[in-house]
Amino acid sequence: MKAGADRSLGSVIDDASVVTLARTHRSRTRLALTPTLFVLGVCGWSLIETPAELDPSLGHMGIAALAIAKIFCTAIGLAAVRGVGRAQWLFSFLCGLSLVAIVPGLPIELDESVWVFSQSLIECLLKAGALLTLRISRTSRSRGMAAAAWYVVSESSSDTR
């Protein structure tokens, strides 16, 4: 401890609470506005295009599978918006996987139907935007948390000398 520095119990408790707060903040942080809008856009668009995806020839099981998929996607999206870290990773993974599946078929859809192509293009743009903004959001948050952790560690190590 530095000579003349008074380290009271309140300061020690404050440092511990900052570290605990930083850990809590890292695991459950609400998304910023742009990622939130993209995630809600993907969920909303998924629900909007449901009638176009309904195929009565699939029967009750096909309709049930579509409903479960829409509910699952929306629930993961809402959890991602609420700040659940694993839901953000899962939502990003699902968006990326969907892009890999849809993008190669866009030229074929353009030749067959402009309406179907435009629906797929909007879906791809929303999912790519969500994927990009979620990635940027996680990167900036982790850098901010690293700076806060460095500050807490450097303060505590300078006080012990």
Side-chain angles (χ1 to χ4, degrees):
M1 190 166 187
K2 290 183 180 178
D6 182 25
R7 182 117 169 114
S8 64
L9 181 60
S11 178
V12 172
I13 292 172
D14 290 342
D15 287 347
S17 64
V18 167
V19 172
T20 304
L21 180 64
R23 287 184 187 144
T24 304
H25 183 69
R26 180 178 36 195
S27 63
R28 290 193 55 95
T29 303
R30 287 185 184 256
L31 290 176
L33 181 62
T34 307
T36 298
L37 290 176
F38 272 111
V39 170
L40 293 177
V42 168
C43 293
W45 187 255
S46 172
L47 296 175
I48 288 171
E49 70 177 357
T50 300
E53 295 174 347
L54 275 174
D55 186 9
S57 67
L58 295 177
H60 297 297
M61 292 302 284
I63 293 172
L66 179 64
I68 290 170
K70 297 297 179 176
I71 291 169
F72 183 68
C73 177
T74 304
I76 292 173
L78 292 176
V81 167
R82 300 244 334 139
V84 179
R86 300 218 188 255
Q88 292 172 6
W89 282 101
L90 184 59
F91 193 80
S92 296
F93 174 74
L94 292 176
C95 284
L97 193 64
S98 177
L99 285 172
V100 168
I102 295 173
V103 169
L106 284 176
I108 297 167
E109 288 181 355
L110 180 60
D111 289 340
E112 292 182 9
S113 170
V114 176
W115 177 248
V116 174
F117 170 77
S118 62
Q119 286 180 341
S120 295
L121 184 63
I122 291 170
E123 182 179 0
C124 287
L125 291 175
L126 286 171
K127 288 182 178 180
L131 189 62
L132 181 66
T133 56
L134 282 170
R135 174 67 182 152
I136 291 171
S137 172
R138 279 194 302 267
T139 303
S140 63
R141 243 185 303 151
S142 65
R143 286 184 184 157
M145 292 309 298
W150 177 81
Y151 174 74
V152 171
V153 169
S154 66
E155 283 293 314
S156 62
S157 64
S158 67
D159 287 341
T160 59
R161 291 182 192 168

